[in-house]
Amino acid sequence: MADTPQIVMDERVKQISPMRRAMIRPELGGIVGTIAVFVFFGLFAFDSGMFNSQGIMNWSVVSAQFMIIAVGACLLMIAGEFDLSVGSMIGFAGMMMAIFGVTLGWPMWVAILVTFALCISIGALNGFIVVRTGLPSFIVTLAFLFILRGFTIFLPQTIERKTIIGGIREAAEGDWLAALFGGTIGKGFFTWMGEAGIIATFERGTRAGEPVVNGIPMLIVWALGLVVVGHVLLTRTRFGNWIFAAGGDAEAARNSGVPVNRVKITMFMFTAFCATVFAACQVMEFGSAGADRGLLKEFEAIIAVVIGGALLTGGYGSVIGAALGALIFGVVQQGLFFAGVESSLFRVFLGVILLFAVILNTYIRRIITGER
Amino acid sequence: MTQPLIQMKNIEKHFGSVIALAGVSVDIHAGECHCLLGDNGAGKSTFIKTLSGVHKPTRGEILFEGRDMHFADPRDAIAAGIATVHQHLAMIPLMSVSRNFFMGNEPTRKIGPFSFFDHDLANRVTMQEMEKMGIVLRGPDQAVGTLSGGERQTVAIARAVHFGARVLILDEPTSALGVRQTANVLATIDTVRKQGVAVVFITHNVRHAMAVGDRFTVLNRGRTYGTAKRGEITPEELQDMMAGGQELATLESSLGSTV
């Protein structure tokens, strides 16, 4: 073996076209889907009020809700795990805030902080059980789906003899931390837009002259904030590389010195954090906590993430993609309502687009890894 | 002769009643390729795991630069500069070459209170290191999944060397490769050896061993049959020692060629 091989470009490796290069970006499906959805509703529901200030706010809020939980689910899925207890966690977190803040009468900020601590601990417990037992996270978090939902129904019934606890808005009045979840920002700007005639204002009644949309809800601020933080964390930090590695091949990552267990547990905690943010915004908006809140949210989050280009098997995906998936979700759900389409068809749409997204993702995965 | 980088003296390893290693002695020098040959079940894997800190020897001693070494776990061995490239590679197909190259050792750059993955540095270093090894990448963001098995081995070897490996243990790096890819990996071994790294090349293929090896040690049934220098031994003799001699000779005459 005296001859050292020359550096020759293998003639069988074709230069990939820019088209194909764009194909393997995980966000592609999300971008195409978002454009398609807006074109569709722009053509068929433009006059329905979907694109005036109120309409935009309507689907933005719904999309933002999906986005908050999708960011958590996305990072967790890239790290190679699922959390099916997200929906129950939302119900549970809202109920605990109500019990601490209303029934027990604690100051709202204490109630919120204690709930966050409690829920993040449960997320850590989920993660701990998964990494310690090596069981699929699917089954471990399915158990917590039932455990948390059970408590969410049991606790208010035992304490208050009802399944909805109200009076949160009153309890949160003037609370500094509650305002971070319940309030709006940019009031002055919207008042100015109303006065300048850019957006509609109330014409009659006690609020005549005020704009119909009087600010951006904190829910949307949280959603955008989480998307930015999630995206930067995943693509621009050392920890982000560990998330990809943990989901791509846990054993290989361990051999290279990546603390896989710590990464996974942290991602379970982050998912629980996102669910609790969702719950906090929801109870502040409704002024009450109900035992059935957050039903099926875990699946909606996973669907948004998959539409956004993440692989169910982990190791690949994008937070921006997941956010676009959530946007598609919100726009279609509310758009069908504006377009006057029977709302049950939304589920049909959801099933179809999920199937389509999964098939597309599998195909993209083959391109990346060069499998046939 | 200079002092060996690693000396393993009469290493024994017992698993319950099974004696996997029954007194193995090997010394490894910097800048040499030391081939460790053995058939399946000869104790190669146990030997590697003892050297890389996974197992503690039941008896015998390991000297690293003349000092007694006790590795509590593989991380100790890695810290001392003993890196293992496993048959099952520590590479993730869906991730880019540069992300894989720096996996677990990511370079960071501070901006304010936050530290970020320094992609520019990672990409630059990856391209340089790959070029040294003779691999042409489309770009540092090319996924490892698109590389051939031999190229992946080479990335893994380059990574180990870049992060300061002084002893590189290659566990059957050529066993699943085609002829051309094997040649590439053997060339990589040669490159690395010239940089002064000690290479421990584990294989059961005599031809691959003869191609790059400086010295050869044969393991059979948990024992070493001594170490031979390049030129002192023929491939046929090595093959006989691995198989335990006679049976293979009979088999060979009936098949009419070298197995």
Side-chain angles (χ1 to χ4, degrees):
Chain A
M1 193 56 24
D3 61 319
T4 33
Q6 295 293 305
I7 301 171
V8 215
M9 199 66 181
D10 192 328
E11 72 284 359
R12 288 166 306 171
V13 178
K14 281 190 289 189
Q15 283 293 319
I16 54 170
S17 65
M19 172 71 189
R20 213 166 158 82
R21 189 174 279 268
M23 281 287 292
I24 62 172
R25 286 200 67 79
E27 300 92 354
L28 179 85
I31 293 169
V32 172
T34 307
I35 295 170
V37 160
F38 274 102
V39 168
F40 179 83
F41 286 107
L43 291 175
F44 293 99
F46 192 75
D47 301 329
S48 63
M50 187 177 166
F51 293 100
N52 65 25
S53 60
Q54 254 178 315
I56 290 174
M57 199 48 74
N58 177 298
W59 51 256
S60 297
V61 166
V62 174
S63 301
Q65 286 180 341
F66 288 131
M67 250 177 235
I68 289 174
I69 47 174
V71 173
C74 177
L75 292 180
L76 184 63
M77 197 187 286
I78 295 172
E81 305 291 343
F82 286 109
D83 190 349
L84 294 185
S85 67
V86 167
S88 297
M89 182 73 86
I90 290 170
F92 179 76
M95 192 54 74
M96 294 322 286
M97 283 178 205
I99 289 174
F100 291 144
V102 177
T103 312
L104 299 181
W106 296 359
M108 209 31 138
W109 63 271
V110 178
I112 293 173
L113 287 182
V114 171
T115 305
F116 265 102
L118 180 64
C119 291
I120 292 171
S121 312
I122 295 171
L125 180 64
N126 260 330
F128 184 76
I129 295 173
V130 169
V131 299
R132 266 307 154 94
T133 61
L135 289 168
S137 50
F138 168 80
I139 211 73
V140 172
T141 56
L142 184 63
F144 273 90
L145 181 155
F146 287 104
I147 293 169
L148 291 176
R149 184 64 69 189
F151 275 122
T152 310
I153 300 168
F154 172 78
L155 290 174
Q157 272 190 325
T158 313
I159 300 167
E160 295 240 340
R161 309 222 152 271
K162 55 189 179 188
T163 54
I164 294 180
I165 298 180
I168 292 174
R169 205 169 283 154
E170 294 71 24
E173 194 68 49
D175 190 90
W176 62 273
L177 190 57
L180 264 183
F181 296 98
T184 56
I185 59 165
K187 199 162 185 164
F189 179 65
F190 278 85
T191 309
W192 171 81
M193 282 208 293
E195 283 164 2
I198 299 168
I199 58 173
T201 51
F202 287 109
E203 284 168 11
R204 285 190 295 275
T206 50
R207 296 173 66 189
E210 286 181 39
V212 286
V213 174
N214 63 4
I216 295 175
M218 287 308 291
L219 179 79
I220 295 179
V221 177
W222 273 102
L224 297 179
L226 282 171
V227 169
V228 171
V229 169
H231 178 72
V232 171
L233 179 76
L234 185 63
T235 59
R236 299 261 167 259
T237 68
R238 157 189 286 236
F239 196 80
N241 209 38
W242 293 354
I243 295 175
F244 279 121
D249 185 340
E251 206 45 53
R254 275 194 197 99
N255 283 343
S256 306
V258 175
V260 172
N261 290 355
R262 204 176 88 208
V263 170
K264 290 196 172 186
I265 292 174
T266 310
M267 285 302 102
F268 273 104
M269 291 164 75
F270 182 68
T271 310
F273 171 81
C274 291
T276 313
V277 169
F278 183 108
C281 291
Q282 199 181 40
V283 295
M284 293 309 154
E285 187 193 342
F286 291 173
S288 67
D292 62 343
R293 295 275 164 78
L295 222 54
L296 288 180
K297 284 289 172 215
E298 56 280 336
F299 292 109
E300 293 170 352
I302 290 172
I303 293 171
V305 173
V306 171
I307 293 174
L311 288 177
L312 288 162
T313 43
Y316 185 74
S318 143
V319 173
I320 301 289
L324 291 174
L327 182 63
I328 293 172
F329 222 125
V331 170
V332 173
Q333 184 179 326
Q334 299 311 108
L336 291 179
F337 165 75
F338 278 105
V341 178
E342 168 63 37
S343 66
S344 52
L345 284 178
F346 175 63
R347 286 155 205 252
V348 177
F349 162 81
L350 214 57
V352 171
I353 197 168
L354 175 64
L355 205 54
F356 183 71
V358 174
I359 293 170
L360 181 73
N361 289 351
T362 313
Y363 174 67
I364 289 175
R365 177 212 181 94
R366 288 206 188 118
I367 296 181
I368 304 166
T369 57
E371 292 169 21
R372 266 162 284 273
Chain B
M1 203 166 201
T2 52
Q3 188 191 31
L5 200 53
I6 294 182
Q7 276 176 290
M8 300 187 77
K9 290 182 180 168
N10 290 315
I11 300 292
E12 287 186 36
K13 178 68 191 174
H14 305 180
F15 296 103
S17 61
V18 178
I19 301 169
L21 296 177
V24 172
S25 301
V26 173
D27 51 340
I28 299 155
H29 294 264
E32 75 163 355
C33 174
H34 195 126
C35 295
L36 201 63
L37 293 121
D39 211 349
N40 293 340
K44 286 178 300 189
S45 297
T46 311
F47 179 79
I48 305 159
K49 284 181 177 162
T50 310
L51 182 55
S52 62
V54 178
H55 295 323
K56 284 191 195 75
T58 312
R59 225 168 273 142
E61 51 184 344
I62 305 176
L63 302 178
F64 190 78
E65 294 185 310
R67 282 191 309 275
D68 216 2
M69 283 300 273
H70 296 283
F71 299 131
D73 57 55
R75 296 205 66 85
D76 279 3
I78 292 169
I82 300 177
T84 313
V85 174
H86 292 277
Q87 254 169 319
H88 312 286
L89 289 164
M91 289 273 138
I92 296 176
L94 281 166
M95 283 163 67
S96 71
V97 176
S98 85
R99 276 182 179 272
N100 262 295
F101 197 91
F102 286 94
M103 180 167 58
N105 290 299
E106 294 83 357
T108 53
R109 195 164 36 109
K110 269 196 169 304
I111 299 175
F114 304 105
S115 62
F116 294 94
F117 190 147
D118 193 342
H119 282 291
D120 293 337
L121 178 71
N123 290 345
R124 206 168 53 239
V125 172
T126 305
M127 287 308 267
Q128 276 168 7
E129 294 292 330
M130 289 301 102
E131 212 182 331
K132 272 190 220 164
M133 294 295 176
I135 291 188
V136 184
L137 293 178
R138 274 199 295 267
D141 58 343
Q142 186 179 351
V144 161
T146 59
L147 300 178
S148 70
E151 288 172 327
R152 287 187 211 188
Q153 288 281 358
T154 303
V155 176
I157 293 170
R159 176 172 71 180
V161 173
H162 179 79
F163 289 106
R166 302 175 60 197
V167 179
L168 192 59
I169 306 169
L170 305 177
D171 186 4
E172 309 222 355
T174 55
S175 63
L177 301 182
V179 178
R180 179 110 175 237
Q181 294 183 15
T182 300
N184 286 337
V185 171
L186 297 180
T188 305
I189 293 176
D190 188 47
T191 314
V192 168
R193 170 178 57 189
K194 283 178 184 145
Q195 292 172 18
V197 176
V199 179
V200 181
F201 178 20
I202 289 104
T203 182
H204 55 243
N205 188 317
V206 175
R207 284 173 352 111
H208 296 173
M210 291 305 275
V212 285
D214 295 306
R215 291 195 300 154
F216 309 90
T217 300
V218 175
L219 269 178
N220 195 344
R221 304 182 70 82
R223 291 177 191 283
T224 37
Y225 282 13
T227 300
K229 273 192 193 141
R230 185 183 189 84
E232 287 177 353
I233 194 162
T234 64
E236 289 72 26
E237 283 171 321
L238 275 178
Q239 186 100 34
D240 279 357
M241 283 164 82
M242 268 170 71
Q246 277 312 314
E247 316 101 89
L248 199 74
T250 2
L251 187 65
E252 216 169 81
S253 60
S254 69
L255 288 171
S257 67
T258 310
V259 179

